[in-house]
Amino acid sequence: MLISLTVGKVDAGVAVLLTEDKRLIEFPSILLPPNISSGSIVDITVARNLSSESASQQAFTKLQDDIFNTYGQNSPSPPVLRCRNATQTSVVLEWDLIQLATAELHSLSLYRNGSKAGSIPRPAEIQSTKISGLAVDTEYTFHLVLRTSAGTYSSEKLTVKTHKMTDLSGITITPGILPAPLRDSLSAAVERIGAKLIDTVRIDTTHFVCTEGRGQPWGKAVEMNIPVVRPEWVEGCEREGRIVGVRGYYLDADPRTRSVGQGVGLQQQQQQQQQQQQDTRHSSRASAKQRNSPVQHEPRKEVPLPNSPVEESHGLPTDGTNTTGRPPAPPPPPKDDSSQAETPTSEHTVGSHDSSQERTEELRKATISGERSGKSNEEETAKDGERTPGDGGSFSEVQL
C-alpha cells in the first residue's frame, strides 16, 4: 500500500507529515530519506509481516507455559512436626526438611499452647530443636508456622506430655571414656531402668557419663551444656527408683554431698509400717483363736461349807446344837453331782472367773439362810425370857 505524504516540518527527532485531507502525522525523522525539508513529498509503503507476527506469538506462548510450569504447579509444603524425646522438664522436637518449591522463605516459628515460643534460626538447615524448663508431668501443644512469599503454612498440632519423676524412659546417655567392665555395668544398668544409650552426642542426649573429662565427645557435651556425670549417677537413679540430682555426681564433686537415702528411707519406712501392720494382725488373730478355743476343766470337788457366821457370832457349838436347845439352821441344799460330772462341751467354756463367782454365790446363799435362822432363834428367846444378856444381842449388833 503506497501513501504519499507532504512534509510540513522537520525537527531533530520528529517530522510532521500532512495527508491529502490535511491530517497531521508525527513520524520519526530518522526514517525519512536524507535532505528532506518542508514541502517535500515522500511515498511510504505499508505492509503486514505475517512471518514475524507468527514467530512473536509462538515466543509469547512459550513464555507463558514456562511461567505456569515453574510457578503454577508447585507450592510450599506444610512442615511435619514430630517428638523425638521427652523428659521430666524438656522436649526435643524434629521435622522434615522444609519444601519451599519456588517460593522464598521468610520465617519458621514454633508455637507452644497457642503462643509463639520463638523463631527457628536457619530454618533451611536446622531440623530439630529442644525446649527446656517445662513442668513435670504436664501436657503441652506445639505446632510450626512457615511463612513464605507464596503464603503461610502451618503444621498439625502435636501434644506432648512430660514424664513423671519415676519415669526414666526419657533419659538418653552417651558414654565417654570408661573402663571396659564399667561400661558393661553401665549398659546393664541403663537397660534395667528403661533408659537409652547412644554412641554420639546429639541434641536429645540428656547426660554424658564418663570417668575422665577429655576427648572430642566430652568437649561437645560441655559445649552443648549437657551434664557430665559419673556412672554412679545411673546407679543412684536405679536405687532411688526416680531421677536424682546431678550436682553430687559431677566429675569433680565430693561424694559426701550426694543426697542418697531419701527414696530408700521412704521405702524402709513403708516396709516397717507394713511389717508392724502384719505383726498386729497376726497377734490379733492369735488372741481371737485363744479366746474362741474351748477350755478343758477338771471335775470340781465338793468343798464343805464353813459354819454360818451368825452361829459363830452367837457362840453356837459346832456339833449342831445351840444354847436354846433348838436345832440349828438347815444347811443349804446340796448341788446336783450329775452337773459336775458332765464332760465339758462347747457350752462349758467358762474359766476360773466363773467358778469363783459360783462359789461366792453359794456362800452368799448360806449366809442369808443363817441370818434368817438366827433371827428366828432370837425372837423365840425374847418371848420365853430364857436368854441372858451375855448370850448375844440383836442382829444389828453382830459383826460379821
Side-chain angles (χ1 to χ4, degrees):
M1 181 178 180
L2 181 62
I3 300 175
S4 296
L5 300 173
T6 303
V7 179
K9 182 180 180 182
V10 178
D11 291 333
V14 176
V16 178
L17 303 180
L18 301 175
T19 63
E20 293 180 355
D21 55 355
K22 308 305 180 181
R23 295 179 179 273
L24 298 179
I25 299 174
E26 292 183 351
F27 194 81
S29 59
I30 193 172
L31 298 178
L32 296 175
N35 302 324
I36 293 297
S37 61
S38 298
S40 299
I41 297 175
V42 296
D43 294 335
I44 299 174
T45 302
V46 180
R48 183 179 181 181
N49 192 342
L50 296 177
S51 60
S52 298
E53 184 179 344
S54 177
S56 177
Q57 183 66 32
Q58 291 178 0
F60 180 74
T61 304
K62 183 177 181 302
L63 178 61
Q64 287 183 330
D65 293 341
D66 293 342
I67 293 173
F68 175 76
N69 294 331
T70 303
Y71 300 99
Q73 292 184 351
N74 298 326
S75 61
S77 300
V80 180
L81 186 63
R82 295 185 300 271
C83 177
R84 178 187 294 183
N85 189 31
T87 64
Q88 282 74 13
T89 58
S90 65
V91 172
V92 177
L93 303 176
E94 64 179 2
W95 54 89
D96 296 335
L97 187 64
I98 300 299
Q99 300 295 332
L100 298 175
T102 57
E104 295 181 359
L105 176 62
H106 291 169
S107 66
L108 179 63
S109 303
L110 177 66
Y111 285 75
R112 179 179 66 190
N113 294 338
S115 301
K116 185 177 180 180
S119 298
I120 306 300
R122 303 190 308 276
E125 302 174 5
I126 297 177
Q127 296 178 245
S128 61
T129 186
K130 183 176 183 179
I131 300 96
S132 303
L134 304 179
V136 179
D137 193 20
T138 306
E139 279 192 357
Y140 293 92
T141 303
F142 300 95
H143 72 279
L144 289 172
V145 176
L146 176 64
R147 292 180 175 87
T148 66
S149 59
T152 302
Y153 303 87
S154 299
S155 68
E156 295 184 358
K157 293 185 178 181
L158 175 66
T159 301
V160 181
K161 186 175 183 179
T162 55
H163 293 177
K164 298 180 179 179
M165 295 299 292
T166 55
D167 188 357
L168 306 179
S169 60
I171 298 176
T172 304
I173 296 175
T174 300
I177 298 177
L178 292 171
L182 197 57
R183 182 181 289 269
D184 296 338
S185 62
L186 175 65
S187 301
V190 168
E191 185 177 358
R192 286 195 299 269
I193 65 176
K196 296 182 287 292
L197 192 68
I198 59 178
D199 296 332
T200 59
V201 179
R202 304 184 312 197
I203 189 174
D204 57 337
T205 299
T206 58
H207 298 82
F208 187 83
V209 179
C210 65
T211 55
E212 299 181 16
R214 58 187 178 89
Q216 184 178 1
W218 171 80
K220 186 176 181 181
V222 173
E223 182 181 357
M224 296 176 63
N225 293 326
I226 297 174
V228 180
V229 296
R230 297 183 60 84
E232 289 80 3
W233 178 81
V234 181
E235 298 176 359
C237 293
E238 182 181 8
R239 180 177 58 252
E240 296 287 336
R242 58 191 292 274
I243 188 169
V244 298
V246 298
R247 180 168 299 180
Y249 296 91
Y250 289 141
L251 298 182
D252 56 350
D254 187 359
R256 294 175 295 181
T257 61
R258 299 172 184 172
S259 57
V260 179
Q262 294 181 355
V264 175
L266 292 175
Q267 293 178 0
Q268 290 179 353
Q269 291 179 3
Q270 293 176 358
Q271 292 177 359
Q272 291 178 359
Q273 292 177 358
Q274 293 177 359
Q275 186 65 28
Q276 290 177 359
Q277 293 177 359
Q278 291 179 0
D279 296 342
T280 304
R281 287 196 294 267
H282 290 330
S283 60
S284 61
R285 290 175 182 173
S287 59
K289 289 181 180 180
Q290 186 175 3
R291 287 195 303 269
N292 296 331
S293 62
V295 181
Q296 300 294 335
H297 297 283
E298 295 182 356
R300 289 192 304 236
K301 296 181 180 180
E302 185 68 22
V303 179
L305 296 175
N307 293 329
S308 173
V310 178
E311 294 178 356
E312 294 179 358
S313 63
H314 286 274
L316 297 178
T318 60
D319 56 355
T321 61
N322 52 23
T323 57
T324 59
R326 296 182 182 278
K335 296 289 181 178
D336 190 1
D337 296 339
S338 61
S339 62
Q340 298 178 357
E342 291 181 356
T343 304
T345 60
S346 60
E347 297 179 356
H348 295 276
T349 58
V350 183
S352 59
H353 180 67
D354 297 339
S355 300
S356 61
Q357 288 183 352
E358 292 179 359
R359 289 196 292 270
T360 303
E361 184 67 20
E362 292 175 358
L363 291 175
R364 188 179 66 81
K365 291 180 180 181
T367 302
I368 294 173
S369 177
E371 291 175 356
R372 293 176 179 176
S373 177
K375 285 183 179 181
S376 62
N377 292 335
E378 288 177 0
E379 292 176 357
E380 292 178 0
T381 304
K383 291 179 180 181
D384 297 337
E386 299 178 356
R387 195 173 70 102
T388 60
D391 291 338
S394 64
F395 178 73
S396 60
E397 298 176 354
V398 178
Q399 296 183 356
L400 298 180

